[in-house]
């Protein structure tokens, strides 16, 4: 499914780190993963904060793939990609026990369904508006008659469902479909994370990503509930990745605009 060789990926994300991130571990906390021989990585496609597919080449790239493969290398097992059409759809795979680890934006609704690691990058949610739009700030968006396109189950959908009073949310089955509504004039704005909107704006001449945002967000690894050992192991991996510079190199290599490495530590520090 993924055409990039594993050694090339690991050289990309781990090269020069000076850490033991790529060293196989006999750690008993992940003994069941070692026994299975594989780490199943849930890839929610369409967002720069998770994974995207190049429509011309079919190449998939993104933090979920890069960090998932690096974690698999550290454990000493084979990475296996399990793809979903949008980040929110990854949650659907829980019912079928389809994946072991994924990367998602942290949200309290999702935290009821998965356990999140310490965050590794941070950004914000905002809007992409077309040329000539009268929407200048996030406050302008929550008005009667305004239609905001969101991918169903995406973090923007979850946050705005709790926050909106007057504007209408138009839910789609993919991020690409949400952007298509904006392009056709069927929506007044697309709500999404800033790095993804910056990337989408390139193909929409005259479009603007608003300078302010409506929520601060953090990306973290997510695992099914009931695996305390996995979570402790992954938190160590994430902290090593931040401290070693691996996260910063990943941001640079993937050309992720509008994001930065999360501070050391867990959610208490990330909430500042």
């Amino acid at each position: 499914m993924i055409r990039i060789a594993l050694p090339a990926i690991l050289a990309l994300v781990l090269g020069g780190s000076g850490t033991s991130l790529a060293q196989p571990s006999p750690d008993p906390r992940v003994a069941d993963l070692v026994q299975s021989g594989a780490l199943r990585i849930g890839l929610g496609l369409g967002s720069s904060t998770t994974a995207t597919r190049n429509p011309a080449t079919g190449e998939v790239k993104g933090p979920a793939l890069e960090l998932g493969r690096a974690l698999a290398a550290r454990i000493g097992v084979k990475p296996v990609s399990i793809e979903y059409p949008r980040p929110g759809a990854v949650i659907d795979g829980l019912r079928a026990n389809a994946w072991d680890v994924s990367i998602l934006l942290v949200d309290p609704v999702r935290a009821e369904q998965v356990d999140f690691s310490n965050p590794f990058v941070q950004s914000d949610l905002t809007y992409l508006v077309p040329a000539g739009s009268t929407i200048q700030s996030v406050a302008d968006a929550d008005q009667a008659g305004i239609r905001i396109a969101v991918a169903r189950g995406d973090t923007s959908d979850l946050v705005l469902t709790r926050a909106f009073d007057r504007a209408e949310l138009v839910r789609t089955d993919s991020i690409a479909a949400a952007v298509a509504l904006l392009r056709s004039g069927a929506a007044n704005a697309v709500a999404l994370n800033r790095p993804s909107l910056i990337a989408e704006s390139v193909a929409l001449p005259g479009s603007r990503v608003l300078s302010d945002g409506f929520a601060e967000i953090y990306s973290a690894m997510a695992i099914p509930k009931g695996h305390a050992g996995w979570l402790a192991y992954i938190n160590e991996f994430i902290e090593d990745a931040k401290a070693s510079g691996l996260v910063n190199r990943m941001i640079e290599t993937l050309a992720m605009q509008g994001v930065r490495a999360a501070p050391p530590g867990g959610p208490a520090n990330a909430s500042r």
Side-chain angles (χ1 to χ4, degrees), residues 250-271:
M250 181 189 69
I251 291 171
E252 181 178 355
T253 299
L254 294 175
M256 297 175 68
Q257 300 183 62
V259 303
R260 60 189 184 277
N269 287 339
S271 64

Side-chain angles (χ1 to χ4, degrees), residues 95-115:
R95 289 187 286 272
N97 187 31
W99 51 270
D100 303 311
V101 65
S102 184
I103 281 177
L104 292 168
L105 297 181
V106 179
D107 184 88
V109 172
R110 289 176 177 165
E112 294 176 358
Q113 301 166 296
V114 299
D115 284 329

